[in-house]
Amino acid sequence: MPSSSSFTTVRTRASALLASVAALVAVGALHPVPAAAASAAASSPHATVAVLDLDGAGRTSVLRGRDSAYDTASIVKVDILATLLLQAQDAGRRLTAEERGLAEPMIERSDNAAADALWRQIGRASGLTAANKRLGLASTTGGPGGKWGLTRTTASDQIRLLRAVFDGDTAARPGSTAKSALNQESRTYVRTLMSQVVPEQTWGISTVGGSGTPRALKNGWLQRTTSGLWDVNSVGQVTVKGHRCLVAVLSNGSASMRDGITLVERTAREAVA
């Protein structure tokens, strides 16, 4: 029969082991699995796509998937720029050299520091909301505080924004006037920047028309800290068989950015086909 001193030794070692584990967890060497992460494997990615053929007979976009709200990630940078341009138009001026120095890397390279600065300048969510009312967006909500990437939008709203840029028709709600829309100079500026996105960021809807076809786009990608899953989006204009098509693909729930890109590209191709 073990002696009392043996039991004391076992208890001491067990206590020491528990204390070590607690210390590792405290410093982050061991990570308890969050409930959201534990359920991530059971979740599945979702995508919604809207397509509008600008050269077709109709002027109504075709929607595939539920038109629910998704996180924008960096596609909101087009909306930020549109808001900045509307505010400049209201003031009767063009963008300053400093503003262009922020807008161009924000769109072409998806520079986050530039987006931070312009998000503050436009008045954050409230400024975005005011501009979106004039552009006809009905289901877009600006992100809280400085978190512009957590702006929520729908595929239909993104088509409305793209029309304001590429079509000259803001699809505005009743009561708005042509004066509230982006003027020709502003539209040309946004289109130009979206046509100059750096090559490594030209995945997404650009694969629809094949290599060499005209395209102007903005992509967005964001890994959510609460779940570890990815939001991946792609919006813009592509030319397919001679037709200019506005395409907006929004997705969430992908296990990796690569998976999200694959989902977005497949969804875009199927919708346009």
Side-chain angles (χ1 to χ4, degrees):
M1 184 175 187
S3 65
S4 59
S5 60
S6 297
F7 281 118
T8 300
T9 300
V10 170
R11 286 196 300 270
T12 301
R13 289 177 177 173
S15 298
L17 178 61
L18 290 172
S20 298
V21 170
L24 288 170
V25 170
V27 299
L30 293 179
H31 300 285
V33 179
S39 63
S43 64
S44 59
H46 300 276
T48 301
V49 57
V51 180
L52 175 62
D53 183 352
L54 292 178
D55 297 315
R59 305 298 289 177
T60 303
S61 60
V62 176
L63 183 72
R64 293 183 64 172
R66 184 179 178 184
D67 200 25
S68 54
Y70 292 78
D71 299 326
T72 57
S74 285
I75 63 169
V76 75
K77 292 170 181 174
V78 176
D79 206 357
I80 292 173
L81 178 55
T83 300
L84 178 70
L85 288 163
L86 274 178
Q87 291 177 350
Q89 287 178 199
D90 290 345
R93 65 174 182 84
R94 295 177 175 178
L95 297 188
T96 66
E98 181 181 1
E99 289 168 339
R100 292 194 304 272
L102 293 170
E104 288 160 19
M106 178 179 72
I107 300 298
E108 296 173 355
R109 301 198 305 272
S110 205
D111 186 281
N112 289 337
D116 289 340
L118 291 180
W119 179 248
R120 290 191 297 269
Q121 181 170 333
I122 67 170
R124 297 184 173 182
S126 61
L128 193 80
T129 297
N132 284 344
K133 287 180 180 178
R134 298 165 61 183
L135 294 169
L137 279 67
S139 304
T140 298
T141 305
K147 297 179 179 179
W148 43 261
L150 295 185
T151 296
R152 302 277 288 172
T153 194
T154 63
S156 293
D157 254 13
Q158 287 303 298
I159 292 293
R160 294 183 182 102
L161 178 59
L162 292 172
R163 287 188 70 175
V165 173
F166 292 95
D167 193 24
D169 178 358
T170 62
R173 283 177 280 183
S176 67
T177 65
K179 186 178 179 181
S180 71
L182 292 170
N183 62 29
Q184 181 62 50
E185 184 177 359
S186 293
R187 295 197 302 270
T188 298
Y189 183 64
V190 181
R191 290 197 300 263
T192 299
L193 298 192
M194 292 178 70
S195 299
Q196 296 175 170
V197 169
V198 293
E200 58 268 28
Q201 294 181 17
T202 56
W203 44 265
I205 66 161
S206 64
T207 63
V208 169
S211 60
T213 57
R215 89 288 182 275
L217 79 163
K218 183 69 191 80
N219 295 329
W221 57 98
L222 172 68
Q223 185 179 29
R224 296 305 309 271
T225 57
T226 53
S227 65
L229 301 177
W230 286 79
D231 300 323
V232 180
N233 308 316
S234 185
V235 300
Q237 177 182 272
V238 294
T239 301
V240 182
K241 297 179 180 180
H243 283 231
R244 297 168 301 136
C245 295
L246 303 181
V247 185
V249 187
L250 308 180
S251 79
N252 59 26
S254 290
S256 68
M257 180 177 171
R258 182 68 256 173
D259 287 349
I261 291 174
T262 299
L263 173 62
V264 164
E265 292 180 344
R266 182 178 69 248
T267 302
R269 287 193 298 269
E270 290 174 351
V272 172

